[in-house]
Amino acid sequence: MRLLCYLDKNTQKCHSFYIMIVDFEYTSLLEDFSADGKLLPGSILKILENSGNKHSDLAVDNILKGSSGGIAWILTDWLLEINTCPKYGDKLMARTWSETVKQPLACMRDFELYCNGEVAAKGLTKWVLVDLKTNRPMRVSQELIAKYQPEEKFVFGDMKMPKIITPEMAQFTNEIKITPRRSDIDFNSHVHNLTYLDYAMETLPASVYAEKKTSFKNIRISYKSGVKAGEMITCRYANVDGKHIVCIFGDDEKIRTQIELL
């Protein structure tokens, strides 16, 4: 980690803190595992997400304060590749960093999940800064970018986020309707991003879920627009070329989130 100095323009005081590549040791909980003792996919995403939150704290980028002030980081994409699935009792550590910003309206964050000292999974997320009053993306300032000390380091090399196939309506073979619970809503007043994976798992056919719930190797999530409290959603499942795809539709039948499991 590197020592970074940041000058507060309001107080003219210099703040020093260490950030760059952030390591986050995680003590797993029983609820993180399936009955066979394997770490659930949603738990892997939770661990990685919490490591990113730690980085934001070190960067003095108060997520809750920003949200209450009308500005929020919004997650638009997840890509997760699982090499080996950790088991109950394994030692877990997440490593995260921000990529060099190449687009003025988007930031990328990379992850590695270590299990007993070996890389078990790799992840990539895409974020945009949004004005909650207008619901429009904002340009990320160089001052904010500097706080995160971006790295010229890419967990998936130069690979771009793959697009998710949108099945034809006739291809969907399973469908459920869900009204989000109060506990599903986060501090930005919409369904928390990790909860959509729970909805997808709920939508899978029983046979697929029983066989694959802890053996998926690739997870791709694309968030189109948030689901708010009281809004009923329709989750539809299709198997397209061996890929398990769940599309989540809002009341208006527009896709809110797409999830691909492989």
Side-chain angles (χ1 to χ4, degrees):
M1 299 177 74
R2 183 185 308 165
L3 179 66
L4 177 70
C5 294
Y6 163 65
L7 178 65
D8 189 321
K9 292 182 178 179
N10 296 320
T11 64
Q12 294 300 306
K13 291 183 178 180
C14 185
H15 302 276
S16 299
F17 44 90
Y18 287 93
I19 60 171
M20 185 199 293
I21 297 177
V22 176
D23 289 349
F24 174 73
E25 292 189 6
Y26 181 76
T27 302
S28 57
L29 306 172
L30 191 59
E31 65 194 41
D32 294 324
F33 299 88
S34 63
D36 60 4
K38 293 182 178 179
L39 193 64
L40 293 164
S43 297
I44 295 177
L45 293 184
K46 179 181 71 173
I47 295 168
L48 300 183
E49 181 183 75
N50 284 332
S51 71
N53 293 339
K54 181 180 179 182
H55 193 178
S56 294
D57 291 341
L58 291 172
V60 196
D61 183 17
N62 191 313
I63 304 300
L64 289 175
K65 184 178 180 181
S67 179
S68 62
I71 297 174
W73 283 108
I74 300 297
L75 178 64
T76 65
D77 293 272
W78 255 114
L79 175 61
L80 179 68
E81 179 182 286
I82 304 171
N83 301 318
T84 58
C85 186
K87 297 180 180 179
Y88 186 73
D90 286 341
K91 184 178 180 180
L92 302 177
M93 189 271 287
R95 176 167 291 165
T96 187
W97 62 92
S98 296
E99 290 184 6
T100 302
V101 179
K102 298 180 179 180
Q103 302 178 46
L105 297 178
C107 295
M108 309 296 289
R109 172 177 292 282
D110 297 60
F111 302 90
E112 292 173 334
L113 178 66
Y114 287 80
C115 174
N116 301 324
E118 300 292 331
V119 177
K122 299 186 295 184
L124 180 65
T125 51
K126 181 178 180 181
W127 300 81
V128 295
L129 197 61
V130 172
D131 183 329
L132 295 177
K133 295 179 181 178
T134 63
N135 202 34
R136 295 179 65 86
M138 300 173 57
R139 183 180 293 269
V140 184
S141 70
Q142 290 299 317
E143 185 177 73
L144 181 55
I145 291 171
K147 289 184 177 184
Y148 283 91
Q149 195 68 24
E151 286 290 313
E152 196 72 24
K153 177 179 170 67
F154 312 101
V155 72
F156 291 117
D158 59 359
M159 184 183 77
K160 295 182 179 180
M161 290 271 195
K163 291 185 178 181
I164 300 176
I165 298 170
T166 302
E168 298 292 334
M169 195 60 68
Q171 292 178 288
F172 291 113
T173 58
N174 222 39
E175 175 180 306
I176 64 169
K177 293 185 180 295
I178 296 176
T179 299
R181 303 169 302 172
R182 292 174 180 173
S183 58
D184 293 341
I185 307 300
D186 66 12
F187 57 89
N188 282 325
S189 300
H190 54 61
V191 171
H192 185 62
N193 68 82
L194 299 187
T195 305
Y196 292 95
L197 181 58
D198 294 336
Y199 295 163
M201 291 293 182
E202 198 70 25
T203 310
L204 295 176
S207 59
V208 174
Y209 179 75
E211 178 188 355
K212 302 282 292 183
K213 63 180 177 181
T214 57
S215 61
F216 289 114
K217 294 297 183 182
N218 291 276
I219 296 176
R220 174 77 174 90
I221 307 175
S222 178
Y223 304 95
K224 305 299 184 182
S225 62
V227 175
K228 296 184 178 181
E231 181 179 3
M232 179 176 286
I233 56 175
T234 302
C235 306
R236 298 187 175 106
Y237 164 84
N239 186 322
V240 181
D241 298 328
K243 298 177 180 179
H244 303 279
I245 299 173
V246 175
C247 294
I248 298 175
F249 296 82
D251 289 333
D252 54 6
E253 280 297 316
K254 292 183 179 180
I255 294 179
R256 301 304 183 86
T257 296
Q258 291 176 283
I259 300 165
E260 181 183 283
L261 306 165
L262 184 61

